[in-house]
Amino acid sequence: MAAITISSSLTSVSPRVFHPHISQNTPTLTLYSRFKPSFSFPSLSFTLRSRRPSLLIVSAVKTLTETELLPISQADSIPADSGVYAVYDSSDELQFVGISRNIAASVSAHVKSVPDLCSSVKVGIVEEPEKAVLTQAWKSWIEEHIKVTGKVPPGNKSGNNTFVKQAPRKKSDIRLTPGRHVELTVPLEELIDRLVKENKVVAFIKGTRSAPLCGFSQRVVGILESQGVDYETMDVLDDEYNHGLREKLKIYSNWPTFPQVFVKGELLGGCDILTSMYENGELSNMLN
């Protein structure tokens, strides 16, 4: 789910003046009424520095006041598109403003974790969204709410984790052997098999979870962290404690590249597959 928190000391921001000429390629914000299950977007910080003219994009975003309030009980009315959303309680008090690659899935996750605070939602859809565009849309709604009420939504205050899914503390990476000069009493293939079958999620990556050594491995770690799932990692480049792992694992999984992610004893795939499943919501459903 998208999670953005800000300090309660944030002051309101004056309305911006937008340029009248908007490119045909500029993403716009629209409203929809359809539902697809999926997952949300990772945390973003409040500070925005974009090289693109994001002010043009925000000019197309409906204000928070103008946006229709949708009952969460009518699940089909909540879209599975990317954009900004605002969660209200049963008293129509704004509790949280977030952004997501899939609003329906993010709202669904909030309903499961804090049902008493989730009664209705306002939704703004950003077509072909980028990180800066989503953040600017979120910022405009936050600023509008602060200008009207003088307050930050409770779920967006710094230190309030009610709507923020916390990732588990990082664990140490697994070493498959005591060292390359120690004779194994169990074949390496059997050690790999035990590892993937005895742990729910195992990621064989280049580098460690704290310091991935390739962009694909970093992406995989980032996705797994965002899911809040307990997972194990193993550095396939560690020739001292995981000697021979890379070649043996290629044979075991019948998969030639790294990283490789296993879920419940079965190979899920590499970075591309994991990213696709993350963006369309399949990964969240599988892990939870």
Side-chain angles (χ1 to χ4, degrees):
M1 66 195 70
I4 308 179
T5 58
I6 55 179
S7 172
S8 58
S9 62
L10 180 64
T11 57
S12 61
V13 179
S14 300
R16 300 180 183 274
V17 178
F18 304 112
H19 301 285
H21 302 293
I22 302 179
S23 169
Q24 293 182 353
N25 296 324
T26 302
T28 57
L29 191 78
T30 55
L31 294 177
Y32 289 80
S33 58
R34 52 194 175 88
F35 176 79
K36 306 173 195 171
S38 188
F39 189 71
S40 60
F41 194 66
S43 291
L44 297 172
S45 63
F46 178 77
T47 302
L48 175 65
R49 292 182 175 89
S50 175
R51 296 180 181 177
R52 298 197 174 192
S54 58
L55 293 182
L56 298 179
I57 297 165
V58 176
S59 68
V61 176
K62 279 194 174 183
T63 67
L64 187 62
T65 304
E66 293 172 338
T67 304
E68 179 186 1
L69 194 62
L70 305 172
I72 288 178
S73 58
Q74 299 177 10
D76 290 343
S77 65
I78 304 175
D81 302 84
S82 301
V84 59
Y85 64 95
V87 179
Y88 292 77
D89 63 17
S90 58
S91 300
D92 290 340
E93 292 291 332
L94 178 60
Q95 295 296 317
F96 178 73
V97 178
I99 55 176
S100 175
R101 291 290 185 185
N102 189 306
I103 296 172
S106 295
V107 172
S108 177
H110 294 321
V111 171
K112 290 179 181 178
S113 60
V114 284
D116 295 340
L117 299 179
C118 304
S119 179
S120 53
V121 63
K122 290 187 177 184
V123 172
I125 307 304
V126 177
E127 297 178 356
E128 300 180 6
E130 295 182 359
K131 181 177 179 179
V133 179
L134 288 168
T135 306
Q136 188 67 16
W138 169 87
K139 182 180 177 182
S140 68
W141 278 19
I142 286 286
E143 290 175 349
E144 179 187 349
H145 179 73
I146 294 174
K147 183 176 181 180
V148 173
T149 66
K151 300 178 181 178
V152 176
N156 293 105
K157 290 182 179 179
S158 179
N160 187 324
N161 298 323
T162 303
F163 288 85
V164 181
K165 191 171 184 179
Q166 297 297 307
R169 296 180 63 183
K170 289 188 177 181
K171 301 165 61 176
S172 299
D173 302 274
I174 291 179
R175 291 175 171 178
L176 200 60
T177 74
R180 64 178 300 172
H181 301 296
V182 178
E183 185 177 353
L184 298 177
T185 58
V186 177
L188 196 58
E189 295 90 335
E190 186 174 335
L191 293 178
I192 295 172
D193 188 63
R194 288 182 185 178
L195 177 66
V196 300
K197 289 181 178 178
E198 292 175 0
N199 297 277
K200 182 178 180 180
V201 181
V202 180
F204 295 91
I205 63 176
K206 293 181 178 180
T208 66
R209 69 172 71 200
S210 299
L213 295 180
C214 76
F216 297 120
S217 295
Q218 184 176 27
R219 175 65 173 163
V220 164
V221 169
I223 290 175
L224 293 177
E225 287 287 330
S226 74
Q227 300 298 289
V229 65
D230 186 24
Y231 69 99
E232 306 294 342
T233 52
M234 183 169 295
D235 182 5
V236 298
L237 300 180
D238 184 350
D239 199 45
E240 175 61 32
Y241 294 100
N242 299 326
H243 179 66
L245 174 61
R246 293 182 69 180
E247 296 308 316
K248 290 293 184 183
L249 187 58
K250 290 178 183 179
I251 297 172
Y252 176 85
S253 63
N254 194 28
W255 193 268
T257 60
F258 297 95
Q260 294 184 17
V261 180
F262 288 76
V263 177
K264 299 176 183 178
E266 299 293 333
L267 176 67
L268 183 63
C271 180
D272 289 345
I273 293 176
L274 193 74
T275 299
S276 176
M277 294 182 68
Y278 163 70
E279 291 178 345
N280 65 29
E282 292 181 48
L283 183 63
S284 179
N285 294 333
M286 175 181 291
L287 298 180
N288 297 323

